[in-house]
Amino acid sequence: MYYLVYGFLYLISLLPMWMLYGLSDFFCWLLFRVFGYRHGVISANLALAFPEKSEQEREAIIRRFQQNFTDTFIETIKLISANQDFITSRMTGEYDVFNQLYDKGLKCQVHMGHNFNWELANVGFASYSKHTLLGVYMPIKNQAMDRIFRQLRSKTGTVLVPATDMKRNMLQHRDKQYLLGLVADQVPSNPEKAYWLNFFGIPSAFIPGPEKGARAGNIPVVFVHITKKKRGYYYLHAQLVTENPRDLPEGELTRQYRDFLEMVIRKHPDMWLWSHRRWKKGWDPKYLPHWIDQVPAPTAAFNPYQSKSR
């Protein structure tokens, strides 16, 4: 099955970009206009995040998001056969901050969100980085697709670390000068162990691992986001948060990441992955010990997708 799927995708990846973007336009129409893929989830998320925007404004964001979504899918297929020049010409960015940390002999931890095109950012970043890039990933259940994505994501030197047993898998890298890449806006599987704080004014669960790992190893943290210069060309922005996360009070790094992520999404709302239910873990007062925001926690249970008030 792997060779059949890989061979088919490899042949598609050999097509020129103008033809691939034609396929992206077709799949965008088919997926969203014909099949209405996750339209309810996307619309609900945008209504929750931007209640001040009109329906027409949110619909415009949806249309741009849909194009970015299918472009990302097509651009990821292109990476199967893309060479180094293709990758580095299409993913440029601010890498000095990482090289300065490397020259100081420091490791680094990167926190970013589901910001298009994170797959291109992974292979592009590894092409520039002096650090050994460790990419945390969630294994795909389909073995053929999992093998294809592992091969694609590691083609420029990224070392993949399965999220399913991250602590054990990180042991072999503890003496290396690595850069750990984390997509830190994942919804935690266990809300009772999450950090809780407002995100777009809504109680939201954030995974605690990125902050706890940085504080435990006192590893410098850099926030990253991506902007699109034009179709198929991206720029990576990097912001050093702290070289000494142990100096920050508990929860502060996550609060800063929340502020950063929300700021980026407000500036570029079509570049974030709206097709997943970000607030599916509704708030319950039993999570109060894990509330880290600087404003008081809600006193009643709250599920934004079921609320009549928003």
Side-chain angles (χ1 to χ4, degrees):
M1 178 60 74
Y2 161 76
Y3 292 104
L4 183 64
V5 176
Y6 180 82
F8 175 70
L9 293 177
Y10 183 84
L11 289 175
I12 293 177
S13 76
L14 295 175
L15 295 173
M17 288 307 301
W18 66 267
M19 193 174 294
L20 288 172
Y21 282 130
L23 287 176
S24 178
D25 292 340
F26 170 73
F27 285 126
C28 184
W29 171 81
L30 185 67
L31 191 63
F32 294 107
R33 308 295 186 272
V34 176
F35 294 107
Y37 175 73
R38 297 208 168 187
H39 183 76
V41 172
I42 298 166
S43 297
N45 281 335
L46 283 167
L48 288 168
F50 301 111
E52 75 283 0
K53 293 187 183 295
S54 67
E55 187 174 342
Q56 291 76 18
E57 288 174 315
R58 292 197 293 266
E59 187 61 32
I61 294 172
I62 290 173
R63 293 300 176 94
R64 296 196 302 272
F65 159 78
Q66 290 169 344
Q67 188 66 75
N68 288 331
F69 184 93
T70 54
D71 277 1
T72 293
F73 175 72
I74 288 297
E75 289 162 359
T76 300
I77 292 177
K78 182 65 178 180
L79 292 177
I80 294 175
S81 64
N83 59 26
Q84 190 75 22
D85 289 341
F86 177 92
I87 293 169
T88 54
S89 68
R90 289 176 176 265
M91 178 54 73
T92 54
E94 302 164 0
Y95 299 101
D96 287 347
V97 62
F98 304 105
N99 292 335
Q100 289 167 9
L101 291 172
Y102 182 88
D103 292 342
K104 291 180 180 180
L106 298 173
K107 301 174 183 178
C108 179
Q109 194 166 290
V110 169
H111 299 185
M112 66 175 293
H114 279 91
N115 190 200
F116 300 127
N117 178 344
W118 61 83
E119 295 290 355
L120 181 56
N122 166 64
V123 294
F125 197 94
S127 302
Y128 290 101
S129 178
K130 292 182 178 180
H131 290 89
T132 297
L133 178 58
L134 306 182
V136 179
Y137 82 105
M138 184 62 68
I140 301 171
K141 290 183 179 179
N142 182 288
Q143 292 185 359
M145 291 306 299
D146 184 67
R147 184 176 174 184
I148 289 169
F149 268 92
R150 283 191 286 111
Q151 182 175 334
L152 186 155
R153 290 168 176 169
S154 61
K155 70 177 296 177
T156 56
T158 298
V159 178
L160 298 177
V161 179
T164 47
D165 194 4
M166 186 174 167
K167 184 179 291 187
R168 184 177 65 84
N169 282 290
M170 284 297 296
L171 289 175
Q172 60 186 304
H173 304 290
R174 60 187 172 186
D175 296 325
K176 298 177 182 177
Q177 197 174 349
Y178 62 73
L179 186 153
L180 179 64
L182 298 168
V183 181
D185 61 349
Q186 302 274 7
V187 178
S189 58
N190 187 349
E192 297 190 29
K193 293 184 178 180
Y195 281 140
W196 280 89
L197 66 168
N198 285 321
F199 181 50
F200 283 93
I202 304 168
S204 183
F206 279 73
I207 51 177
E211 172 170 331
K212 289 182 181 294
R215 284 165 56 84
N218 203 33
I219 301 171
V221 174
V222 177
F223 292 167
V224 162
H225 77 281
I226 305 162
T227 54
K228 179 182 283 190
K229 297 192 290 185
K230 60 180 181 178
R231 196 174 196 181
Y233 291 83
Y234 299 88
Y235 192 85
L236 184 144
H237 305 262
Q239 171 187 324
L240 176 64
V241 181
T242 177
E243 287 190 17
N244 299 287
R246 282 181 187 162
D247 293 344
L248 300 176
E250 184 177 3
E252 178 60 22
L253 193 58
T254 302
R255 286 191 292 269
Q256 289 190 30
Y257 174 71
R258 181 272 314 272
D259 293 343
F260 168 81
L261 183 63
E262 190 169 322
M263 177 270 295
V264 168
I265 294 171
R266 288 189 181 278
K267 284 186 176 180
H268 310 282
D270 57 301
M271 292 287 285
W272 196 59
L273 187 64
W274 293 103
S275 54
H276 67 304
R277 294 171 70 92
R278 182 60 183 84
W279 293 281
K280 66 182 179 181
K281 305 291 186 182
W283 166 255
D284 191 291
K286 68 182 180 181
Y287 305 143
L288 187 59
H290 306 287
W291 183 262
I292 63 168
D293 212 338
Q294 295 172 325
V295 298
T299 57
F302 178 70
N303 188 321
Y305 294 109
Q306 299 173 358
S307 173
K308 302 294 184 182
S309 62
R310 294 186 68 94

